[in-house]
Amino acid sequence: VFPATADQPASISYNKMYYCDRDSFNKIESGSSIARLADGKDLDTVSDWRVKFMKDSVGLSVSDKECRLRMETDIERKSLHVLERISDGHMVAMASTTSRVGAKFMIGNVYTSHPFRGKGYAKKLISSVVEDLICGKTAQYNTALLFTDIPAAIKVYKAVGFRECGNYMMVLYQEPVIL
């Protein structure tokens, strides 16, 4: 990450790309948690998580307002999934499904709240999302895609059945650029 000017990106990242299909999918039992689509009552929490995700994973400071707008949009599109503990209904993780094209979709915005990291919650959520969208009774897709260079995330995704399939480059600008 480096200082951006009007014509220079704020961030350029190079990551490995991963895919998961019906043949490679490994179901992870959800145990004492349940995955569901996020709704309006979740907005404050997931907006806060989005701010932290952008800082932790992408290295950018993004306004609360911008993150709230993104999460509102994901909730309206029914593309934001959360995992909550059954015992107390406490949300512990989120993930978005994005870039749905043909029989493929991308998973992004994967975040586990700091106190709950290392307990398998992200793995359970990603497994549930992939199972519903690729293997479920109403499955609409045959392949999930994602990208990352974070070792802990790679371990999670490989446990669910994701396999490396290439490279991904992302360029983020501080302000929109008209091409």
Side-chain angles (χ1 to χ4, degrees), residues 28 33 83 92-95 110-113 116-129 152-153 156-157 160:
I28 307 296
S33 56
L83 188 78
V92 294
M94 71 174 181
V110 179
Y111 184 83
T112 302
S113 182
F116 303 104
R117 290 186 177 178
K119 299 180 185 335
Y121 290 125
K123 190 183 323 179
K124 291 173 184 179
L125 179 57
I126 297 302
S127 176
S128 177
V129 169
V156 164
Y157 302 139
V160 175

Side-chain angles (χ1 to χ4, degrees), residues 48-177:
D48 179 56
W49 287 355
R50 173 73 178 175
V51 170
K52 293 173 181 172
F53 168 81
M54 292 300 290
K55 183 70 173 170
D56 293 351
S57 299
V58 184
L60 293 177
S61 294
V62 181
S63 73
D64 293 345
K65 182 179 178 182
E66 184 177 345
C67 289
R68 187 174 186 88
L69 179 60
R70 167 66 190 271
M71 295 295 89
E72 284 175 343
T73 301
D74 282 2
I75 289 170
E76 287 171 12
R77 291 181 179 164
K78 299 190 181 313
S79 63
L80 182 61
H81 305 260
V82 295
L83 188 78
E84 59 185 35
R85 295 186 306 199
I86 293 171
S87 63
D88 59 7
H90 191 85
M91 277 193 314
V92 294
M94 71 174 181
S96 294
T97 54
T98 63
S99 305
R100 297 174 183 212
V101 178
K104 296 175 176 49
F105 70 95
M106 184 166 277
I107 296 175
N109 202 37
V110 179
Y111 184 83
T112 302
S113 182
H114 286 279
F116 303 104
R117 290 186 177 178
K119 299 180 185 335
Y121 290 125
K123 190 183 323 179
K124 291 173 184 179
L125 179 57
I126 297 302
S127 176
S128 177
V129 169
V130 171
E131 181 178 24
D132 287 348
L133 295 176
I134 291 179
C135 305
K137 292 177 183 174
T138 59
Q140 306 169 45
Y141 305 96
N142 62 25
T143 307
L145 300 164
L146 55 79
F147 60 89
T148 189
D149 64 350
I150 301 169
I154 293 168
K155 184 177 176 183
V156 164
Y157 302 139
K158 284 185 173 183
V160 175
F162 281 85
R163 304 293 178 247
E164 189 176 321
C165 63
N167 297 300
Y168 189 90
M169 183 175 98
M170 182 169 52
V171 180
L172 297 176
Y173 287 87
Q174 198 66 33
E175 299 294 326
V177 175

